[in-house]
């Protein structure tokens, strides 16, 4: 399977199963297209001569010589030989290597688009904080179930985790006290809305957290449309200086400014550029809102072409910035073509329900943070482990080859089948696909690959 | 080659032989939290091809 497209003046051909990316000239681009349409080589040559009346025999022969060389090298029109990799997925042992700790089922902001409903999730009435004892048991559960995996990831999430900062600190101290004896390396991530950031939080986060995710939607008027406190006051003026102070003190360690865009700011590149140019942030992530289609802030079909254009604007501008020596990072445009994921990672899905689980403040286990409080998807708890093995098996088997809609998709080895929670919410089945999300994802990958092509051409 | 340039990429078939250590980050952990992509995950196995 191949995927070919033109973007920003480049001809791009992705050979899906080898992962190869080619930059053909116009003649070769069309020759590949003719072959992909099912034409024989002779028919493709005839079509090429028809499309390019002045073309020399040498150019035609050289073009097909190039194509055949790549085919023989397994880099063009390569076959899908990876299906069998997934055949024994139900039997595979899946150590747990990451936990999302919902240390606070409450929040000091009241963002109406919050998929976690301010930490209450799915209409749960009670708010609550994770105790140290529960968190400690969660870390023990992780160590006990991580097998030989060395790197263990723990995300402080909520709600707003800094509402329960002392427990976050105590849990990190506990993890550090046990990681050597178990030959583990804990990597902590803090996801915060910024309200609770203090000098102490900054010092702790920059010392202990491998990554921090700082929630900001961009321009003040955009951020303050949704990211408001319980009194309805926007958070921008309170959080931006704190974020800037934290990032400045971070000394180059990983962080992301993480925004959400909605139907109300489909020009979201202006929010990204605001964070980069006006606020001085360079590590940026901007996500499409996940909400019910009936919500006025939900993205619409009419928004799609606008969003596609926005992603192109962003990619082209990032090329310019890199060329000018002032690059920014956009989470979804980060692709390491030479040292990226192996094929096992690419076919086995995101890891939710198997390698990655969410833990509520009360110690219940769910496949990920987006399934929390859905009784049909409760896996068990941190004291008794995973007791709903049928659910875990369902997630084990949920991969790109198990999803009918993915079978003819060129992007499947870049998304690994997509988000199970989004699929469930869109189709009622984790094996379904959230088509709107797929469209955005494919556009982002096209842009990201184009940027790599520009880089290889020396254009940035 | 005269008509096609190729960008250097990881060979997926080779990765099927030497990959699968599982040390890499889970997909949704680092920033997005509401979508899934594995393309931006780095391989933790420095010896893998």
């Amino acid at each position: 399977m191949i995927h070919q497209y033109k973007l920003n003046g480049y001809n791009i051909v992705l050979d899906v199963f080898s992962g190869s990316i080619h930059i053909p000239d116009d003649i070769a681009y069309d020759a590949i297209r003719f072959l992909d349409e099912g034409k024989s080589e002779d028919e493709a040559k005839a079509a090429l001569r028809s499309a390019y009346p002045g073309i020399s025999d040498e150019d035609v022969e050289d073009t097909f010589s190039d194509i055949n060389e790549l085919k023989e090298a397994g880099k063009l029109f390569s076959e899908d030989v990876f299906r069998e990799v997934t055949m024994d997925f139900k039997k595979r042992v899946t150590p747990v290597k990451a936990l999302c700790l919902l240390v606070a089922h409450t929040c000091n902001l009241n963002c109406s688009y919050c998929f976690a409903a301010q930490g209450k999730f799915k209409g749960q009435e009670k708010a609550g904080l994770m105790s140290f004892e529960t968190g400690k048991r969660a870390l023990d559960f992780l160590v006990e179930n991580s097998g030989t995996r060395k790197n263990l990831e723990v995300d402080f999430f909520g709600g707003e985790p800094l509402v329960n900062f002392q427990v976050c600190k105590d849990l990190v101290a506990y993890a550090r006290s046990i990681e050597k004896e178990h030959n583990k390396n804990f990597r902590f991530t803090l996801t915060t809305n910024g309200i609770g950031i203090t000098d102490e939080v900054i010092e702790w986060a920059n010392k202990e957290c491998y990554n921090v995710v700082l929630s900001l939607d961009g321009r003040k008027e955009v951020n303050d449309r949704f990211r408001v406190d319980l009194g309805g006051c926007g958070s921008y003026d309170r959080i931006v200086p704190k974020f800037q102070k934290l990032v400045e003190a971070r000394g180059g360690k990983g962080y992301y400014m993480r925004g959400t865009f909605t139907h109300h700011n489909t020009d979201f590149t202006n929010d990204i550029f605001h964070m980069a140019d006006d606020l001085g942030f360079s590590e940026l992530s901007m996500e499409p809102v996940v909400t019910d289609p009936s919500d006025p802030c939900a993205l619409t079909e009419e928004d799609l072409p606008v969003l596609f254009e926005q992603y192109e604007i962003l990619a082209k501008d990032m090329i310019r910035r890199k060329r000018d020596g002032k690059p920014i990072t956009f989470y979804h445009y980060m692709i390491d073509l030479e040292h990226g994921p192996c094929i096992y990672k690419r076919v086995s899905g995101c890891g939710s329900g198997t390698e990655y689980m969410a833990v509520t403040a009360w110690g219940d286990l769910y496949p990920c943070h987006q399934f929390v409080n859905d009784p049909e998807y409760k896996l068990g708890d941190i004291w008794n482990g995973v007791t709903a093995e049928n659910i875990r098996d369902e997630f084990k088997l949920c991969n790109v080859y198990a999803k009918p809609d993915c079978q003819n998709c060129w992007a499947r080895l870049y998304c690994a089948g997509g988000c199970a929670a989004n699929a469930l919410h869109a189709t009622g089945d984790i094996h379904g696909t959230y088509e709107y999300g797929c469209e955005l994802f494919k556009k982002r990958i096209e842009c990201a690959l184009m940027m790599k092509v520009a880089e290889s051409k020396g254009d940035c | 080659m005269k008509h096609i340039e190729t960008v250097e990429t990881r060979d997926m078939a080779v990765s099927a032989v030497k990959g699968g250590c599982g040390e890499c980050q889970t997909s949704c952990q680092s920033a997005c939290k509401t979508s899934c992509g594995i393309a931006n995950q780095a391989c933790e196995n420095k010896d893998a091809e």
Side-chain angles (χ1 to χ4, degrees), chain A residues 21-23 25 66 97 150 153 155 187 211 258 331 334 337 340-341 343-345 356 369 422 457, chain B residues 2-3 5-7 10 15-16 20 22-25 29-35 38 40-41 43-44:
Chain A
I21 294 160
H22 307 294
I23 316 166
D25 62 15
D66 287 359
K97 64 181 186 184
K150 182 174 173 65
E153 297 157 39
D155 192 5
R187 291 173 174 169
N211 188 23
R258 194 271 191 210
Y331 178 72
M334 283 170 58
L337 294 178
I343 193 65
Y344 295 97
K345 178 80 170 179
Y356 171 61
H369 50 284
N422 287 351
K457 298 284 282 183
Chain B
K2 293 180 181 175
H3 292 272
E5 294 174 47
T6 296
V7 180
R10 185 175 188 182
S15 83
E23 286 292 344
C24 49
Q25 197 170 36
Q29 189 85 353
S30 53
C32 61
K33 287 287 183 195
T34 50
S35 65
I38 50 84
N40 48 21
Q41 303 291 306
C43 179
E44 295 272 355

Side-chain angles (χ1 to χ4, degrees), chain A residues 288-402:
Chain A
V289 69
V290 173
T291 190
D292 191 279
S294 64
D295 190 317
C297 80
L299 296 163
T300 67
E301 286 298 320
E302 291 71 32
D303 290 337
L304 262 182
V306 179
L307 301 178
F308 289 164
E309 186 183 16
Q310 288 287 297
Y311 282 124
E312 288 189 17
I313 289 170
L314 177 60
K316 292 172 186 173
D317 194 68
M318 287 176 64
I319 291 171
R320 177 192 66 78
R321 286 169 190 267
K322 191 173 179 198
R323 196 168 49 225
D324 293 348
K326 293 182 179 175
I328 58 171
T329 300
F330 178 59
Y331 178 72
H332 287 293
Y333 288 172
M334 283 170 58
I335 290 188
D336 186 341
L337 294 178
E338 293 180 65
H339 305 101
C342 64
I343 193 65
Y344 295 97
K345 178 80 170 179
R346 288 174 188 263
V347 299
S348 61
C350 71
S352 61
T354 54
E355 300 174 323
Y356 171 61
M357 296 174 193
V359 184
T360 68
W362 303 277
D364 292 335
L365 289 167
Y366 289 90
C368 86
H369 50 284
Q370 287 211 65
F371 286 92
V372 167
N373 282 355
D374 185 337
E376 288 186 31
Y377 285 93
K378 184 180 169 184
L379 286 166
D381 62 55
I382 53 175
W383 295 276
N384 299 299
V386 173
T387 48
E389 292 185 4
N390 59 323
I391 298 174
R392 180 167 61 184
D393 287 347
E394 193 180 348
F395 278 83
K396 269 188 186 181
L397 289 170
C398 188
N399 61 73
V400 289
Y401 290 100

Side-chain angles (χ1 to χ4, degrees), chain A residues 406-442:
Chain A
C406 298
Q407 297 318 300
N408 294 312
C409 179
W410 62 266
R412 59 176 148 160
L413 296 186
Y414 291 89
C415 76
C419 170
N422 287 351
L424 177 71
H425 298 146
T427 70
D429 184 353
I430 64 168
H431 297 91
T433 46
Y434 171 45
E435 289 182 19
Y436 198 96
C438 292
E439 292 304 312
L440 296 180
F441 185 88
K442 286 188 280 190

Side-chain angles (χ1 to χ4, degrees), chain A residues 144-196:
Chain A
E144 290 164 12
N145 288 278
S146 59
T148 58
R149 297 290 193 274
K150 182 174 173 65
N151 295 317
L152 303 181
E153 297 157 39
V154 175
D155 192 5
F156 294 118
F157 202 66
E160 168 51 42
L162 290 182
V163 170
N164 201 7
F165 179 47
Q166 186 61 47
V167 165
C168 296
K169 279 197 306 182
D170 293 345
L171 290 176
V172 167
Y174 175 68
R176 298 292 179 230
S177 75
I178 63 169
E179 62 185 352
K180 277 187 184 161
E181 68 182 281
H182 294 288
N183 191 32
K184 304 295 180 187
N185 175 40
F186 278 96
R187 291 173 174 169
F188 290 97
T189 296
L190 171 69
T191 299
T192 178
N193 64 26
I195 293 290

